[in-house]
């Protein structure tokens, strides 16, 4: 008789713990969603992205995409050292857009690339990315868009301000991203996993 009562108590305890775990997951999930939304709102106001679109997925066009990436980052480096905000960077780009585009055309001609290139400052939709240890939520961000030729190839992006692009030039492949593939932040509930293992 006592064994049956003990077993009933154990079952009740398991049910209670399971309910508490579910409630904890719900509360934690809501907190995480609110935190991501808060981070996104903060980021969208102070981040400027660089988005380079290749002419096509042919090998030579993809290689040229990286040459143009390096050129634009190095070209803008003297200016970024004098810039303290996203707004200042966007103002600089708007004022110098035609000059940047003209110099880019000259660069392509020197490399015997018979394609036009276009520079635009626009609001673009980006997926969620884990970038240098930090999750940047998906959403609309201001971006410097560089389109080579038809702009139909796989693209590349990084964060122009704060100046993470410049750090990435020293880390091969660290920030080469194809925006057609979306990543989602992964959250691991260690305590919840432990409790379910205990109850199983």
């Amino acid at each position: 008789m006592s064994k049956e009562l003990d077993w009933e108590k154990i079952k009740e305890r398991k049910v209670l713990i399971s309910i508490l775990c579910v409630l904890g997951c719900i509360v934690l999930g809501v907190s995480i969603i609110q935190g991501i939304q808060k981070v996104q709102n903060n980021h969208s106001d102070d981040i400027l992205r660089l988005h380079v679109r290749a002419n096509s997925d042919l090998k030579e066009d993809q290689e040229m995409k990286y040459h143009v990436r390096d050129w634009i980052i190095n070209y803008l480096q003297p200016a970024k050292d004098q810039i303290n905000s996203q707004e200042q960077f966007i103002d600089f780009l708007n004022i110098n857009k035609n000059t940047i585009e003209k110099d880019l055309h000259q660069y392509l001609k020197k490399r015997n690339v018979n394609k036009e290139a276009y520079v635009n400052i626009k609001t673009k939709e980006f997926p969620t990315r884990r970038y240098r240890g930090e999750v940047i939520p998906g959403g609309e961000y201001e971006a410097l868009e560089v389109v080579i030729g038809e702009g139909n190839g796989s693209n590349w992006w990084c964060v122009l301000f704060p100046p993470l692009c410049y750090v990435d030039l020293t880390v091969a492949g660290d920030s080469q991203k194809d925006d057609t593939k979306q990543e989602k932040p992964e959250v691991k509930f260690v305590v919840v996993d432990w409790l379910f293992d205990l109850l199983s």
Side-chain angles (χ1 to χ4, degrees):
M1 185 69 175
S2 60
K3 288 184 178 180
E4 290 181 1
L5 289 175
D6 289 342
W7 178 244
E8 287 298 325
K9 288 181 179 179
I10 291 173
K11 288 192 344 185
E12 289 176 0
R13 190 174 302 167
K14 283 187 175 183
V15 171
L16 179 60
I17 294 175
S18 298
I19 292 172
L20 291 174
C21 287
V22 171
L23 291 175
C25 287
I26 292 173
V27 172
L28 185 57
V30 171
S31 299
I32 290 171
I33 291 171
Q34 289 176 341
I36 288 175
Q37 289 174 340
K38 182 178 180 181
V39 170
Q40 180 175 359
N41 291 335
N42 291 336
H43 274 311
S44 62
D45 292 334
D46 59 17
I47 280 181
L48 176 66
R49 285 178 149 167
L50 171 63
H51 189 201
V52 183
R53 294 172 54 189
N55 178 62
S56 74
D57 283 332
L58 293 175
K59 181 180 178 181
E60 57 267 28
D61 286 337
Q62 286 297 307
E63 289 177 352
M64 182 51 56
K65 174 183 70 177
Y66 294 118
H67 288 307
V68 169
R69 169 202 67 181
D70 293 348
W71 180 87
I72 195 73
I73 290 174
N74 288 319
Y75 183 91
L76 294 174
Q77 183 159 4
K80 69 92 182 173
D81 291 335
Q82 308 298 321
I83 290 172
N84 299 313
S85 70
Q86 178 218 57
E87 185 178 3
Q88 286 182 5
F89 216 140
I90 291 174
D91 288 343
F92 169 84
L93 293 173
N94 280 320
I95 292 170
N96 295 280
K97 176 181 176 296
N98 292 336
T99 301
I100 296 170
E101 203 168 73
K102 179 181 177 181
D103 291 344
L104 178 54
H105 288 162
Q106 292 298 320
Y107 170 75
L108 291 174
K109 284 182 180 180
K110 287 180 180 178
R111 298 193 67 94
N112 297 317
V113 177
N114 297 317
K115 292 181 177 66
E116 297 293 322
Y118 306 94
V119 175
N120 301 294
I121 298 91
K122 58 170 61 175
T123 302
K124 296 176 65 68
E125 185 78 22
F126 288 89
T128 298
R129 286 295 187 190
R130 185 177 299 278
Y131 189 88
R132 301 192 64 78
E134 179 181 4
V135 173
I136 300 181
E140 291 187 342
Y141 291 84
E142 295 300 312
L144 171 63
E145 180 187 58
V146 181
V147 181
I148 308 169
E150 299 297 324
N152 291 327
S154 297
N155 53 80
W156 181 94
W157 67 264
C158 71
V159 177
L160 195 58
F161 185 88
L164 299 180
C165 292
Y166 301 92
V167 177
D168 287 329
L169 285 182
T170 65
V171 185
D174 182 68
S175 63
Q176 295 177 10
K177 301 293 184 182
D178 182 349
D179 283 343
T180 60
K181 299 175 182 178
Q182 182 169 351
E183 294 179 358
K184 296 181 180 179
E186 179 182 352
V187 179
K188 187 171 181 63
F189 299 101
V190 178
V191 176
V192 175
D193 289 345
W194 176 79
L195 283 173
F196 275 112
D197 288 342
L198 185 65
L199 293 174
S200 60

